Amino acid sequence: MSNKTHTVAAGDTFSSIAAFHYGNGSDANAQKIAAANPGVSPGKLQVGQTLQVPA
């Protein structure tokens, strides 16, 4: 399976993105997204930014 991408919208967090893609915004799922996007600060997500979402 390949990674998906997610375009950050206003109010998005790693947890909300995890909930959208995995159906569960758990810390473990949010950390998977964080690990797939090294150098991206969870507190500094920018609207329009594209993130990798692991399968």
Side-chain angles (χ1 to χ4, degrees):
M1 251 185 215
S2 61
N3 287 354
K4 297 179 183 180
T5 60
H6 179 88
T7 302
V8 175
D12 275 353
T13 64
F14 282 151
S15 292
S16 69
I17 295 167
F20 179 81
H21 287 280
Y22 302 127
N24 180 334
S26 70
D27 284 346
N29 284 338
Q31 288 175 4
K32 282 199 267 186
I33 295 170
N37 295 278
V40 176
S41 173
K44 296 188 178 188
L45 296 178
Q46 297 180 0
V47 172
Q49 184 175 22
T50 300
L51 301 176
Q52 295 295 313
V53 179

